[in-house]
Structures are given as C-alpha cells and as structure tokens.
Amino acid sequence: MITFMHMAVSNQIDSAGIDIGSARSWRRAGLTASQFRLAIQHGELVRVRRGVYTTRAFMTKAAEKSVLWQVLHVASAVCVQSARDAAASHQTAAVIHGLSLLNRPDAGIVQLTRPPGRYRGSGVPGVRFHSAALPPAHVVTRHGVRL
C-alpha cells in the first residue's frame, strides 16, 4: 500500500536532481533522515556501496547499459572518497567514452586519477587510484562524471 509519506518521499527524490550521492548529498537535496530511511525501505533508493545510494530508476537503467553501470561505480567511488577533483581514467574512461578495448577491463575495478599530492592510498575496495596532473582543458564530463 502506498502511503502519503511514501508518495512525498518519491516526489522529493524526483525533485532532488541527482541520481547518485552520499547520504549527506541526499539530505542536502532535501530528504530528512526519516524520509531517507523510508526511501531505502521502499526501494526508492538503493545502496551502491557503504554510504552511497542511487535511485531505483538509475539502477535499473544502469543494469541495462554497461556505460551507465560504469558511471554508477565511478560516481560512488568519488562520493566515498570525497574526491571531487578526481576523474575517471584509463579503461574506466574508455568504457564511458564508448571506446572499444583490446582487452576487457578488470571486472569491478574503477580507475580514478587525482592531481599529485592528493593521493591518500587506495582505501576503497574496487578502486585503483592514479596520480597525474589534470589540466582543466583535458577533463570532460559525460553522464555527470569527470573523465
């Protein structure tokens, strides 16, 4: 049974303007703590990794399209690390760009590059970090992810 509260939460999620974010991001987007819990209980928000959630609609789209699946994992890794200056790189960026690869990318591994001096070790399962200068002219955004 759909309750008024559940409908209100669904509307709040729709109007938040984000597909994936940390629990803090969802709260900044307007969900109260109780609405956030309710959204998870009803499957409106789905846990991607510890502390990172996406909408059920985006998760469904991502499961059907490998590029969006990769975007989902890159975005979640960035959220976990609070690495706003990071960019998807290497094979991860190639997949998001839609480029063909000679070898299949490592399953479940997201590759991120951060500027020198910002590297704090791996610390996140499924994420391989690289360190290199990222001139703004070399960074583009696709599907909301910096590449």
Side-chain angles (χ1 to χ4, degrees):
M1 182 167 105
I2 297 178
T3 65
F4 177 74
M5 180 67 148
H6 182 223
M7 287 175 47
V9 170
S10 291
N11 291 339
Q12 188 72 28
I13 289 169
D14 291 342
S15 66
I18 58 175
D19 291 318
I20 183 169
S22 65
R24 179 179 288 158
S25 298
W26 287 105
R27 285 194 291 278
R28 277 196 310 257
L31 265 70
T32 65
S34 62
Q35 289 174 324
F36 183 73
R37 283 191 303 275
L38 187 64
I40 293 167
Q41 288 171 355
H42 286 279
E44 294 292 325
L45 290 178
V46 181
R47 183 177 181 257
V48 179
R49 63 172 73 217
R50 185 172 187 235
V52 181
Y53 301 84
T54 189
T55 63
R56 176 179 46 202
F58 190 81
M59 181 66 91
T60 301
K61 280 190 241 175
E64 297 168 359
K65 194 168 183 180
S66 64
V67 170
L68 292 180
W69 192 253
Q70 196 70 16
V71 165
L72 180 69
H73 289 284
V74 170
S76 70
V78 169
C79 284
V80 167
Q81 284 294 305
S82 298
R84 303 276 181 241
D85 56 353
S89 60
H90 299 74
Q91 291 177 325
T92 301
V95 168
I96 294 171
H97 276 296
L99 301 174
S100 298
L101 299 172
L102 292 174
N103 300 310
R104 296 184 78 164
D106 295 335
I109 300 292
V110 168
Q111 296 191 51
L112 297 177
T113 296
R114 289 193 264 195
R118 298 295 307 249
Y119 187 75
R120 296 180 299 197
S122 62
V124 179
V127 180
R128 185 171 299 141
F129 290 104
H130 303 276
S131 181
L134 296 170
H138 294 187
V139 178
V140 298
T141 302
R142 282 178 110 39
H143 303 290
V145 171
R146 289 170 34 96
L147 309 169

